[in-house]
Amino acid sequence: MLPELGSAYGVSAGEAAISVTAYLLPFAAVMLVSGTLGERWGRRRTVVSGYALYVLASLACVLASGWTVFLAARALQGVANAFTTPLLLAALGAAVSPERLGRALGWFGSMQAAGQTFAPLVGGLAAELDWRLAFVGVALVAGLLGLAGIPAGGPPPGSRPGLRSALRPVVLRLGVAAALGWGCLTGLNFLVALRLEEQFALGAGARGLVLTGAGMAGLLTARLVGAGVDVLGARRSVLLGAWLGVPVVAGVGLASTVWLVAAVWPLGGVATQLVLVGVNALVLRSAVSNPGGSVSAVQAVRFGGGALSPVAITPIYHADPVVGFLVPAALLAVALPAALPRTPIQRV
C-alpha cells in the first residue's frame, strides 16, 4: 500500500518506502540490546510490555496528522517489536530438545509466513478503503498477543547475561547472512510491489494478492524446511536457500507478464525459510548463557540490513528496473555464502 500511503501524505511511492526504513532501523538498533535486557528482566514481562507499546504506536500511526509524525510512530513500532521477536525465539529454543530444534523453528517460521502471507493481502484490501484500517488491525492483534503472553523463563536467578556473550564475531556473521537472505528475498516485497504497480498497473488489492504467494509458499513448506534442517544440517540449508533465491529474484526482474511474476515469486518464500530457519538453528545451538541476546544480535543485523534495502535498491531500480533485481540476486549468490562461518560453532 505504498502508493496509497504516498498519496495520503503527498509524497511519491518511492519516498513512501522510507516508512519501511523508519520502522526497521530502530527495530534493528534496539535489538542489539533488547534480547539481553529481556533475559535480565524476564522474558514474559518484557514481551507483554513490548506488545502494549506496539498497540500505542499503531494507534499513533492511525492518528498521525503529517508525514513526519507518521514516520515517528513507525519508529516507535520498531522499538516495541524489538522486545518481542528475539525473546519468542529464545523461549522456543528452551522448550524443545536440540535434535528437534529445526522442526520447532519450522513451525515458528510457518507462523511468521502466515503473517507475511496475509499482511500484504489484508493491507492491500484495506488500502482500497482506507490504509489506516491496516494499522487498526495490527493494534488489535498486538493487544491479543499481549494478553496471551509467553511461558516464563530465562537464565538462572541471579545471573545477569552481558552483551559480550551475545555480540560474538560468529553471531554477527550469522546476522550478516540473515540480513542478506531476508533483505534480498522477502525483504524485496516492496520492490516487487513497485514493479507490479509501475510496469503492470496493478491496484493495491491485486498487488497484495501476488505478494501473498511468497508467504503462502513459506507457510506450506516451513515445517518441511525445519525437518530438512535437522537432517541436512543448518549451514547446508542456508546455502540451499541462497542459491534457490538467485533465479527467483532474477526471474521476477526479467518476467514480462504478471503471471510469470506470480508464478516465480512464491519460490522466494521457500528460499527465505531455508535461510532463516537455518540461521536461527545455528545461533540457538551455539548460545547457552544468553540465547535471547544472541538471537537478538542476529535479528538486529538482519533487520538493519533489511532496513537499508529500500534506500539502497530503489534508486538502482528506478535507474534500471532489471538491474534493480539482478543486484540482490548477485548478493545471494556471492555475499551470503561468504558471510557464513565455515568452522563448527562453539557453544557459549
Side-chain angles (χ1 to χ4, degrees):
M1 50 185 196
L2 291 180
E4 287 75 20
L5 187 62
S7 296
Y9 288 107
V11 299
S12 68
E15 189 176 352
I18 296 174
S19 64
V20 180
T21 303
Y23 174 94
L24 289 175
L25 276 181
F27 180 44
V30 174
M31 269 208 293
L32 282 172
V33 299
S34 63
T36 299
L37 292 175
E39 294 283 22
R40 293 182 181 180
W41 298 339
R43 291 174 188 165
R44 181 180 177 86
R45 179 193 307 169
T46 304
V47 168
V48 170
S49 299
Y51 280 131
L53 181 59
Y54 199 91
V55 171
L56 296 177
S58 299
L59 294 178
C61 288
V62 173
L63 300 173
S65 58
W67 180 236
T68 302
V69 177
F70 178 80
L71 292 180
R74 289 285 286 161
L76 187 59
Q77 277 186 316
V79 171
N81 200 22
F83 286 94
T84 63
T85 302
L87 297 172
L88 293 172
L89 279 166
L92 180 65
V96 299
S97 58
E99 62 272 12
R100 297 187 61 83
L101 180 59
R103 290 174 175 83
L105 290 173
W107 277 108
F108 186 90
S110 72
M111 296 299 99
Q112 285 191 313
Q116 293 166 355
T117 296
F118 295 110
L121 178 59
V122 174
L125 293 175
E128 298 281 6
L129 299 174
D130 188 332
W131 60 265
R132 292 174 179 83
L133 293 176
F135 289 92
V136 172
V138 296
L140 291 173
V141 171
L144 293 173
L145 291 173
L147 292 174
I150 62 171
S159 64
R160 291 179 59 83
L163 284 175
R164 183 177 297 180
S165 62
L167 300 180
R168 293 175 286 148
V170 66
V171 170
L172 296 178
R173 287 187 64 174
L174 289 172
V176 171
L180 289 167
W182 187 78
C184 295
L185 287 165
T186 302
L188 284 185
N189 263 344
F190 77 94
L191 196 65
V192 179
L194 285 177
R195 184 159 196 262
L196 290 171
E197 194 270 337
E198 295 179 358
Q199 183 72 25
F200 304 110
L202 287 191
R207 293 194 302 270
L209 188 60
V210 172
L211 295 179
T212 297
M216 184 62 73
L219 171 62
L220 296 176
T221 61
R223 182 185 178 190
L224 180 62
V225 166
V229 169
D230 288 332
V231 174
L232 297 176
R235 188 176 187 277
R236 290 177 181 174
S237 297
V238 175
L239 291 174
L240 180 61
W243 292 330
L244 173 62
V246 173
V248 170
V249 175
V252 170
L254 294 169
S256 58
T257 68
V258 170
W259 301 111
L260 282 176
V261 175
V264 171
W265 189 236
L267 293 176
V270 181
T272 300
Q273 290 298 336
L274 284 165
V275 172
L276 297 185
V277 172
V279 166
N280 286 334
L282 284 170
V283 68
L284 283 173
R285 285 170 177 165
S286 72
V288 178
S289 61
N290 187 8
S294 296
V295 171
S296 188
V298 167
Q299 299 301 316
V301 179
R302 167 193 167 188
F303 286 106
L308 297 177
S309 183
V311 176
I313 301 298
T314 301
I316 300 174
Y317 169 82
H318 284 308
D320 189 319
V322 173
V323 175
F325 284 91
L326 293 182
V327 167
L331 291 174
L332 288 172
V334 179
L336 194 155
L340 273 182
R342 288 179 169 79
T343 57
I345 301 175
Q346 295 181 346
R347 291 170 59 85
V348 174

